[in-house]
Amino acid sequence: MSRNLKFISVVGARPNFMKVAPLHRAFRNIEGVRHLIVHTGQHYDENMSKVFFDDLELPKPDIYLGVGSGSHAEQTARIMIEFEKVLLKERPDLVIVVGDVNSTIACSLTAAKLQVPVAHVEAGLRSFDRTMPEELNRIVTDALSDFLFVTEEVGVENLIHEGLAEEKVFLVGDVMVDSLVTYCEKAKASRVKSALGVTPKAYTLVTLHRPSNVDDRLNLGKILEILERIEKYGTIIFPIHPRTRKRIEEFGLMDHFQTVKGLLLAEPLGYLDFMNLMMDARLVMTDSGGIQEETFFFNVPCLTLRDTTERPATVADGTNVLAGLDVERVAGLTAECYGGKWKSSRVPDILDGRAAERIAEVLLNAFGKKEAVMSGGNIKESDK
Ligand code: UD1
């Protein structure tokens, strides 16, 4: 048999864990591949990190860098310093990064400088808004990557438009949807709705954490106004991201938020509980990238409180509507949603829960393990 391969996947922040879990499951079944998980520690609170390892049945990270918070430069630099040590010691054949967080750019840059090949999962997404830190992370990571795994057609177009070589680009679908498919049944069994005292299709689920929305007092004020305008429709469940909680407290707005009728301010939820609430929500209001895709897949109405999206298919073919922080527009659209009027999703065939398998197949071929064959949904090596 050809020599063993060592792949390192990087996780750092909450939206990374559900993307790496299916990759880990795919590689776990391949003989001749050792798959290590490095956690940078960008997110470190129990409910932003550990709970996801439990829910997604991920093993404890092989290596934990513990970098924590800081300014963008501090966080990115600390990750690079620590990750370089890991690469020099482990000498992997490939580094896999996912999404667009600071850990993604930090580890891809470190690997590229040491001439370790990089695979970017969820490549090619663009909001065309360079005030978003994630947009800069996406552009740089894609430019440095040797394998660009794309979730939707427009991502391929974006990469080609930026001059990246077509042979590096693979349209494989979305690993985040792989996790939805794998854990959907388990999520349905969650008791979170009865714990919160809500019934299906009778509540709005809110998540907000983008710096542009929550770091600005004026914008947080508009969010408060939106919540006040929609309180008449019943319960609003708002699991608060640490950044958002910090800002609400700093701006002295917590008392005001607590006066909104029917607003349940919760701690960040685990993966299965959140999925359970999302699947049965009447409406989801968010500024997250991933949740736009998840509601698209589950055909749940989604109002995105941003002016741009990096996932245009969720708007063109799905339940997503971009509403910015326009209070009147959000109030009007919420009324339509509770009145039973909303568009439905046409989910493309490629969102079938098998993206990680396709990624594994491409990588095995590229690394000369061409004999790898698909068997029973798992990839096994036949050239032992
Ligand atoms: C990061 C990602 C964003 C992603 C989001 C999901 C970047 C640039 N941003 O944003 O793309 O959508 O995660 O959650 O990588 N904090 C805690 N506990 C934690 C984690 C963070 O208290 O476990 C606090 C930090 O102290 C910091 C703030 O939350 O002040 C923001 O954390 P940070 O990692 O900078 O970015 P996020 O806003 O979480």
Side-chain angles (χ1 to χ4, degrees):
M1 193 183 100
S2 45
R3 77 179 175 88
N4 282 354
L5 293 171
K6 189 191 279 184
F7 293 168
I8 287 184
S9 284
V10 176
V11 293
R14 184 168 64 175
N16 295 158
F17 307 123
M18 64 293 276
K19 296 173 190 169
V20 166
L23 293 170
H24 183 70
R25 256 196 316 281
F27 291 130
R28 193 179 57 184
N29 293 311
I30 303 170
E31 276 179 54
V33 175
R34 203 166 153 231
H35 183 237
L36 300 181
I37 297 177
V38 172
H39 189 334
T40 65
Q42 176 176 348
H43 284 177
Y44 42 87
D45 286 352
E46 172 110 5
N47 55 20
M48 296 293 286
S49 173
K50 168 130 191 336
V51 64
F52 288 84
F53 277 79
D54 298 341
D55 281 359
L56 293 156
E57 301 165 293
L58 270 167
K60 214 167 142 266
D62 297 280
I63 299 163
Y64 186 73
L65 305 182
V67 299
S69 305
S71 71
H72 282 270
E74 285 166 348
Q75 195 174 54
T76 309
R78 263 190 252 132
I79 297 169
M80 289 183 71
I81 291 167
E82 295 309 315
F83 193 59
E84 185 178 53
K85 295 178 198 161
V86 172
L87 293 182
L88 292 173
K89 177 160 180 275
E90 297 292 340
R91 305 253 164 218
D93 297 281
L94 177 75
V95 167
I96 302 172
V97 294
V98 298
D100 55 18
V101 302
N102 285 341
S103 301
T104 310
I105 188 181
C107 294
S108 52
L109 181 52
T110 311
K113 291 220 169 178
L114 289 175
Q115 285 161 43
V116 178
V118 177
H120 185 205
V121 174
E122 209 181 75
L125 296 183
R126 297 288 181 271
S127 65
F128 301 101
D129 174 2
R130 289 199 180 200
T131 65
M132 282 178 80
E134 294 84 355
E135 181 75 352
L136 304 177
N137 293 347
R138 292 179 197 122
I139 293 167
V140 175
T141 302
D142 285 340
L144 297 172
S145 294
D146 302 276
F147 298 90
L148 296 155
F149 293 114
V150 180
T151 54
E152 60 179 270
E153 194 59 57
V154 73
V156 176
E157 289 163 26
N158 292 337
L159 293 170
I160 302 302
H161 183 72
E162 286 175 20
L164 296 174
E166 211 169 331
E167 57 271 21
K168 291 184 182 176
V169 181
F170 303 90
L171 181 63
V172 292
D174 195 340
V175 286
M176 203 171 55
V177 170
D178 293 7
S179 279
L180 296 182
V181 170
T182 305
Y183 289 104
C184 180
E185 286 309 312
K186 218 168 160 191
K188 281 183 190 158
S190 153
R191 313 274 307 142
V192 65
K193 283 197 290 291
S194 51
L196 293 174
V198 294
T199 50
K201 304 294 168 202
Y203 57 90
T204 301
L205 180 62
V206 177
T207 82
L208 296 162
H209 73 276
R210 294 245 94 79
S212 57
N213 279 341
V214 306
D215 286 1
D216 180 308
R217 195 182 194 288
L218 198 76
N219 287 345
L220 255 188
K222 284 189 193 168
I223 288 165
L224 187 54
E225 217 180 314
I226 286 171
L227 298 177
E228 287 169 340
R229 291 286 295 272
I230 68 165
E231 66 179 15
K232 60 182 171 214
Y233 300 108
T235 308
I236 306 165
I237 305 170
F238 187 0
I240 306 191
H241 185 284
R243 169 189 286 276
T244 310
R245 179 178 289 280
K246 213 182 275 180
R247 294 293 180 252
I248 292 176
E249 281 163 1
E250 271 169 25
F251 295 136
L253 290 171
M254 191 49 94
D255 288 349
H256 204 149
F257 269 83
Q258 277 162 347
T259 61
V260 177
K261 222 171 71 213
L263 177 62
L264 291 179
L265 292 175
E267 289 301 313
L269 295 165
Y271 184 69
L272 298 173
D273 287 344
F274 189 81
M275 201 200 300
N276 180 294
L277 287 176
M278 182 167 54
M279 284 189 289
D280 275 336
R282 179 62 165 251
L283 173 65
V284 172
M285 222 175 252
T286 191
D287 59 11
S288 150
I291 292 169
Q292 297 173 57
E293 181 97 343
E294 292 176 335
T295 48
F296 169 44
F297 182 74
F298 285 132
N299 195 21
V300 170
C302 178
L303 261 182
T304 297
L305 303 193
R306 288 169 47 188
D307 297 317
T308 59
T309 180
E310 54 286 322
R311 298 174 185 272
T314 63
V315 176
D317 302 323
T319 51
N320 189 18
V321 176
L322 299 183
L325 277 184
D326 181 336
V327 179
E328 288 308 320
R329 183 164 154 76
V330 174
L333 286 162
T334 305
E336 281 182 25
C337 180
Y338 275 86
K341 227 174 102 191
W342 206 265
K343 54 187 181 150
S344 297
S345 293
R346 278 174 288 132
V347 178
D349 292 343
I350 199 156
L351 297 185
D352 60 356
R354 304 188 70 172
E357 283 176 31
R358 292 188 197 101
I359 290 170
E361 203 177 6
V362 169
L363 291 174
L364 291 178
N365 282 335
F367 282 91
K369 290 193 174 278
K370 290 204 169 58
E371 300 308 310
V373 292
M374 308 295 285
S375 84
N378 293 328
I379 298 172
K380 299 252 187 257
E381 271 243 310
S382 63
D383 64 339
K384 290 174 227 166

